[in-house]
Amino acid sequence: MITEIKGNVMYFDGCSTVELAEKYGTPLYVYSENAILKECNEIKECFPDKYENTRVAYATKAFCSIAMCKIMEREGFCMDVVSGGELFTAIKAGFPAERIEFNGNNKLREELELAIEYGIGRIIIDGLQELHMIEEICKQKNKKINVLYRITPGVDSHTHNYITTGKKDSKFGIPLDADVIYPAVEAAINSPFVNFKGIHFHVGSQLFDNCSHLLALETTLQLVKKTKEKFDYDITELNIGGGFGVTYTDEQRKPYEYFVKPVMEKITEFFNQLGMERPAVVIEPGRSMVAEAGITLYKVGSIKEIKGIRKYVSIDGGMTDNIRPALYQAEYKGVIANKMDMPADDVVTVCGKCCETGDVLIKDGKFARAEQGDILAVLTTGAYGYSMASNYNKNPIPGVVLVKDGKSAEIIKKQSYEDMIERECYVEL
Ligand SMILES: *Cc1c(COP(=O)(O)O)cnc(C)c1O
């Protein structure tokens, strides 16, 4: 068990959350290595270990750090990066370049140059303009690179609007209009500077239904067939993205198998019928790899009760370390980590310390009666928490601690005030 209760204290991967808070200070992001490894094993069992010629690329944007790159390397995973900064982090971690894939709707020339220079495994291209930029760079550097096209499959995945990406009106991917997609495919096939491997889609995030993946796959397979007919070209790789949902409050999480199995069945059947060899298949989980492996520890500060209306419990972090509730009404569960033996029967709103009314982490959640100095743990914060952190109100970004079997180590030091102003000066003009 990753989370346990001993006496009145919540333990996380064998470590007392109260002791962690004391030792490293709050706010504090805590990741359980065993929880990450458990995700890795679940994925491996039903995907790369089960089907030949398949790969898992962790979408680093969920939580990008040197330590995470090291774990992914050891686990044999690939990584999907979406910026020069993430690419740089992976390279600095010594992550093998050929296992890196690069996504993004507006990759900058210098980012593409860095990627091609390092010799990364794949660039997933979002449009013809990007193909031309890659060709120029490859020509200049005398290199050739593997590419896929990200398509917009025209699937509406019915999650929050900000996190659906597959429907037609989206900044991501190439639209499937015949006069757009086929010239792009033809240009990639005929380019001396790229190896055109195949098609990529990513339909959205936090999904609990496999129908978006299956619908998008249907469209993709038609494109594969058309590519064969029109250009006599065999597509050798399909990337079906990520988006697998996790449990924040009371969602029923689906096993990876639920998504992967019907996808593989459909792909296998399709290529058998076509008499073509099945392409490599890649998945790109981000959130599901790290969300439940992370918690955030805070210290309770002021408590304000507005009689008959609401009780506010303020903590020493907030939207600066977890923007998701303010950004898209994400919901979380929390506990008073030093009062696990007490009934959670007090309805309170947990708010941050920023000067924004919207700086609320949990609205009307049930907690044990909180007092100043208590340790409040917000659960399932491992994805898109640290990676979206900001210095708003000049709050330093908290540190990150990795725990495993009762051991702990700081993997990202917390920012100091000095760190925050290090690059500042005044020039009188
Ligand atoms: C964000 C992203 C992912 C991962 O999505 P999750 O919902 O975190 O699993 C995968 N692929 C691409 C291209 C992405 O942008």
Side-chain angles (χ1 to χ4, degrees), residues 12 15 44 66 70 78 84 94 118 129 133 136 140 148 161 176 230 239 251 281 295 305 312 337 346 376 418:
F12 197 54
C15 289
K44 281 197 257 187
I66 300 263
K70 295 276 190 198
C78 299
Y118 282 137
Q129 199 184 320
M133 198 162 17
E136 279 170 31
Q140 212 174 35
L148 284 84
N161 245 334
L176 287 173
K230 271 183 182 292
N239 185 320
E251 303 92 338
V281 184
I295 60 174
E305 186 158 12
Y312 285 99
D346 199 18
L376 190 145
E418 281 296 334

Side-chain angles (χ1 to χ4, degrees), residues 31 39 58-63 159 162-163 202 204-208 242-248 253 256 284-294 324 328 330 332 380-385 388:
Y31 283 82
E39 292 295 336
Y58 164 60
T60 51
K61 70 178 191 281
F63 173 54
T159 49
Y162 290 5
I163 49 182
H202 174 66
S205 203
Q206 184 63 351
L207 304 176
F208 298 95
F244 316 115
V246 303
T247 304
Y248 286 100
R253 189 175 170 172
Y256 291 104
E284 279 174 348
R287 183 192 312 275
S288 58
M289 296 278 303
V290 286
E292 293 172 22
R324 296 188 66 258
Y328 31 64
Y332 286 91
T380 319
T381 58
Y384 306 109
M388 287 189 178

Side-chain angles (χ1 to χ4, degrees), residues 66 69-70 73-74 79 87-100:
I66 300 263
C69 294
K70 295 276 190 198
E73 185 190 357
R74 211 178 53 209
M79 292 208 306
L87 175 59
F88 183 79
T89 307
I91 297 294
K92 280 283 163 178
F95 194 85
E98 67 279 5
R99 272 159 53 191
I100 300 176

Side-chain angles (χ1 to χ4, degrees), residues 100-134:
I100 300 176
E101 333 209 325
F102 191 5
N103 261 294
N105 67 299
N106 184 29
K107 302 179 197 74
L108 310 178
R109 177 178 286 268
E110 53 270 33
E111 291 177 326
L112 288 169
E113 282 172 352
L114 197 62
I116 291 166
E117 191 62 48
Y118 282 137
I120 70 163
R122 308 274 184 283
I123 297 179
I124 293 148
I125 303 182
D126 243 56
L128 205 47
Q129 199 184 320
E130 186 184 337
L131 174 69
H132 294 325
M133 198 162 17
I134 290 169

Side-chain angles (χ1 to χ4, degrees), residues 44-307:
K44 281 197 257 187
E45 241 169 60
C46 74
F47 195 55
D49 290 354
K50 189 165 165 191
Y51 306 98
E52 265 174 57
N53 203 16
T54 56
R55 306 196 308 274
V56 187
Y58 164 60
T60 51
K61 70 178 191 281
F63 173 54
C64 181
S65 63
I66 300 263
M68 193 61 196
C69 294
K70 295 276 190 198
I71 296 174
M72 290 301 102
E73 185 190 357
R74 211 178 53 209
E75 290 300 298
F77 280 40
C78 299
M79 292 208 306
D80 158 40
V81 301
V82 292
S83 71
E86 287 187 355
L87 175 59
F88 183 79
T89 307
I91 297 294
K92 280 283 163 178
F95 194 85
E98 67 279 5
R99 272 159 53 191
I100 300 176
E101 333 209 325
F102 191 5
N103 261 294
N105 67 299
N106 184 29
K107 302 179 197 74
L108 310 178
R109 177 178 286 268
E110 53 270 33
E111 291 177 326
L112 288 169
E113 282 172 352
L114 197 62
I116 291 166
E117 191 62 48
Y118 282 137
I120 70 163
R122 308 274 184 283
I123 297 179
I124 293 148
I125 303 182
D126 243 56
L128 205 47
Q129 199 184 320
E130 186 184 337
L131 174 69
H132 294 325
M133 198 162 17
I134 290 169
E135 289 182 296
E136 279 170 31
I137 297 166
C138 283
K139 188 173 180 185
Q140 212 174 35
K141 294 187 185 289
N142 197 22
K143 301 234 184 190
K144 195 167 184 177
I145 192 143
N146 297 321
V147 301
L148 284 84
Y149 273 131
R150 174 169 183 176
I151 57 161
T152 320
V155 174
D156 195 347
S157 61
H158 300 293
T159 49
H160 193 288
N161 245 334
Y162 290 5
I163 49 182
T164 121
T165 55
K167 63 179 183 182
K168 192 161 183 188
D169 183 4
S170 167
K171 73 168 181 168
F172 297 105
I174 304 175
L176 287 173
D177 304 307
D179 59 336
V180 180
I181 189 68
Y182 296 119
V185 166
E186 190 173 19
I189 290 172
N190 292 330
S191 171
F193 302 107
V194 302
N195 297 314
F196 178 56
K197 306 284 283 184
I199 305 297
H200 171 287
F201 64 77
H202 174 66
V203 281
S205 203
Q206 184 63 351
L207 304 176
F208 298 95
D209 194 317
N210 58 20
C211 69
S212 298
H213 285 95
L214 288 169
L215 282 170
L217 179 62
E218 186 65 51
T219 309
T220 303
L221 293 176
Q222 290 314 310
L223 180 57
V224 171
K225 196 171 166 189
K226 279 272 167 49
T227 302
K228 177 77 177 164
E229 286 166 9
K230 271 183 182 292
F231 310 112
D232 191 28
Y233 193 82
D234 286 2
I235 274 173
T236 56
E237 191 160 316
L238 299 176
N239 185 320
I240 66 157
F244 316 115
V246 303
T247 304
Y248 286 100
T249 53
D250 47 13
E251 303 92 338
Q252 278 296 313
R253 189 175 170 172
K254 296 277 180 24
Y256 291 104
E257 170 119 39
Y258 164 78
F259 291 97
V260 162
K261 196 172 172 224
V263 162
M264 291 310 287
E265 280 171 5
K266 202 172 180 137
I267 292 176
T268 306
E269 188 194 316
F270 179 86
F271 285 93
N272 277 344
Q273 274 179 7
L274 221 61
M276 273 170 74
E277 196 173 326
R278 171 170 74 65
V281 184
V282 184
I283 61 171
E284 279 174 348
R287 183 192 312 275
S288 58
M289 296 278 303
V290 286
E292 293 172 22
I295 60 174
T296 313
L297 303 179
Y298 303 96
K299 197 166 273 167
V300 172
S302 59
I303 296 169
K304 169 178 174 177
E305 186 158 12
I306 310 168
K307 285 262 176 311

